[in-house]
Amino acid sequence: MTVTADACPGSCTEVAERAWVQLIRAHRSALCSVEKALRAAELPPLEWYDVLLELEREGPLRSRDLQERLLLAQYNLSRLVDRMEAEGLIERTRCSDDARCQWIRTTTAGDALRQRMWPVYADAIRTAVESRLTKPQAAQLGELLARLSNCPKA
Amino acid sequence: MTVTADACPGSCTEVAERAWVQLIRAHRSALCSVEKALRAAELPPLEWYDVLLELEREGPLRSRDLQERLLLAQYNLSRLVDRMEAEGLIERTRCSDDARCQWIRTTTAGDALRQRMWPVYADAIRTAVESRLTKPQAAQLGELLARLSNCPKA
DNA sequence: ATTATTTAGATGCAAGTGCATATATAAGTC
DNA sequence: GACTTATATATGCACTTGCATCTAAATAAT
């Protein structure tokens, strides 16, 4: 079991292990190149985009929900929201019915940033995925991966 | 394009995008549970295992090679090796022929740690992968992912 | 109503990460 | 051989992450 590519060509590595290893490798390699592309374009990290898109698609969300959707840790989202709020990309407002909650919504600046990020992001995805897999392969990959991230309860 | 699970059921999301999103999600969710399992067992992070295994399988390696195999950034590996050396798990020795290089090798303690980590790691992988995919599915997933991490040149 | 429990979110601190750059050595050029 | 360029690794600094814990508000229990 390694994170290495050439893990005993043949059968010394169990299939599940191999899938796992390749998952880590593919993620490292793909994510790294996407992040680099964003930085090169002087754009913020990927997560910022995810937050903005999620808010744009779902409308204002509570921290809790955003956190769940993005699979982020509570404290990480909290601080991510801090940073993005400081940049004027999103806003927090207290819920009226539950004073513990808050609604998070995008601002105009947030929407604008999201739109500037998309082309760079999309291009990076094309390089990372589209250029290496046929359409049916990509579709199947998506299917298989989805099973891994689905909550057991779901 | 989101990191969210329910991205427009149907066709509004391109297949490559979906694969990408699911890659991120699957990785987050799986890695997170593995790391938690390791911490719960008071074991060091995953990478430590990867380094140790790689060294055990390939024998002493130069930093550069280890870095490439594990897809780690140079400065990250440098510091990872610092930490592991400080714990007595690996050793650095200068190459005789090229004074810039160094050989990295495991120690007895390193081997012992690796062996203690494996059961926990293996179990976490089983939970994360084996329980969610059939054997052929896992095999195919491994195949598809491998294409994503293969260097273009390879 | 009063207290205990749970839930939403924030935060101090230690550790890890990325960037840019430094150091040292090797290789190539003139 | 002095001078530039490339390679292997380390490091200062700012920022991010994880852990544990804290506060505040809502629910449940008595």
Side-chain angles (χ1 to χ4, degrees):
Chain A
M1 180 30 249
T2 330
V3 88
T4 285
D6 61 311
C8 286
S11 66
C12 88
T13 301
E14 267 243 53
V15 288
E17 287 172 19
R18 172 167 160 83
W20 166 262
V21 168
Q22 295 302 335
L23 174 63
I24 295 184
R25 287 179 64 81
H27 179 268
R28 252 180 226 176
S29 133
L31 192 76
C32 188
S33 66
V34 170
E35 290 284 13
K36 259 181 199 142
L38 288 171
R39 269 193 278 264
E42 306 203 29
L43 292 168
L46 210 41
E47 297 158 335
W48 290 41
Y49 181 86
D50 292 332
V51 167
L52 291 171
L53 180 59
E54 201 53 35
L55 291 174
E56 190 249 354
R57 286 178 43 182
E58 306 293 327
L61 286 171
R62 292 178 306 147
S63 268
R64 191 79 226 313
D65 299 328
L66 198 48
Q67 172 197 328
E68 213 158 68
R69 284 172 168 274
L70 301 179
L71 298 182
L72 292 175
Q74 179 269 315
Y75 48 83
N76 274 342
L77 179 62
S78 174
R79 287 190 269 219
L80 176 54
V81 168
D82 284 348
R83 282 171 243 146
M84 294 181 69
E85 191 183 33
E87 298 291 328
L89 301 168
I90 58 180
E91 289 177 339
R92 288 191 245 223
T93 48
R94 286 276 156 204
C95 299
S96 46
D97 56 325
D98 185 339
R100 292 170 306 180
C101 296
Q102 56 193 335
W103 292 106
I104 302 178
R105 73 187 66 238
T106 55
T107 62
T108 312
D111 282 339
L113 175 64
R114 181 176 53 75
Q115 286 171 39
R116 279 201 301 127
M117 288 180 82
W118 173 239
V120 179
Y121 194 0
D123 193 62
I125 292 174
R126 270 192 287 282
T127 307
V129 179
E130 253 180 47
S131 70
R132 290 155 187 263
L133 296 178
T134 65
K135 204 162 184 168
Q137 284 174 336
Q140 176 144 37
L141 178 59
E143 264 316 298
L144 292 170
L145 286 170
R147 299 184 184 230
L148 294 189
S149 57
N150 279 344
C151 307
K153 64 188 175 193
Chain B
M1 176 35 244
T2 332
V3 89
T4 285
D6 61 311
C8 286
S11 67
C12 86
T13 301
E14 267 242 53
V15 288
E17 287 173 21
R18 172 166 160 83
W20 167 262
V21 168
Q22 294 302 335
L23 174 63
I24 295 184
R25 287 180 63 80
H27 178 267
R28 253 180 224 175
S29 133
L31 192 75
C32 189
S33 65
V34 170
E35 290 283 13
K36 261 182 196 142
L38 287 171
R39 269 186 222 125
E42 309 203 28
L43 292 168
L46 210 42
E47 296 159 327
W48 290 41
Y49 182 86
D50 291 332
V51 168
L52 291 171
L53 181 58
E54 201 53 35
L55 291 175
E56 191 251 353
R57 287 179 42 184
E58 305 294 327
L61 286 171
R62 293 177 305 147
S63 268
R64 189 82 226 311
D65 299 328
L66 199 47
Q67 171 197 328
E68 211 158 70
R69 283 171 168 275
L70 301 179
L71 299 181
L72 292 175
Q74 179 269 315
Y75 48 82
N76 274 343
L77 179 62
S78 174
R79 288 191 269 220
L80 176 54
V81 169
D82 283 348
R83 283 171 243 144
M84 294 182 68
E85 191 182 33
E87 297 291 326
L89 301 167
I90 57 181
E91 289 177 340
R92 289 192 244 225
T93 48
R94 287 277 155 202
C95 299
S96 46
D97 54 326
D98 184 339
R100 294 170 303 181
C101 297
Q102 57 193 333
W103 290 106
I104 302 179
R105 71 188 66 238
T106 54
T107 62
T108 312
D111 282 339
L113 175 64
R114 180 176 53 74
Q115 286 172 38
R116 278 200 302 128
M117 289 180 82
W118 173 239
V120 178
Y121 194 0
D123 192 62
I125 292 174
R126 270 191 287 281
T127 307
V129 179
E130 255 182 43
S131 70
R132 291 155 187 262
L133 296 176
T134 66
K135 205 161 184 169
Q137 283 174 336
Q140 177 147 34
L141 178 60
E143 263 318 296
L144 292 170
L145 286 170
R147 298 185 187 229
L148 295 189
S149 56
N150 279 344
C151 307
K153 64 187 178 194

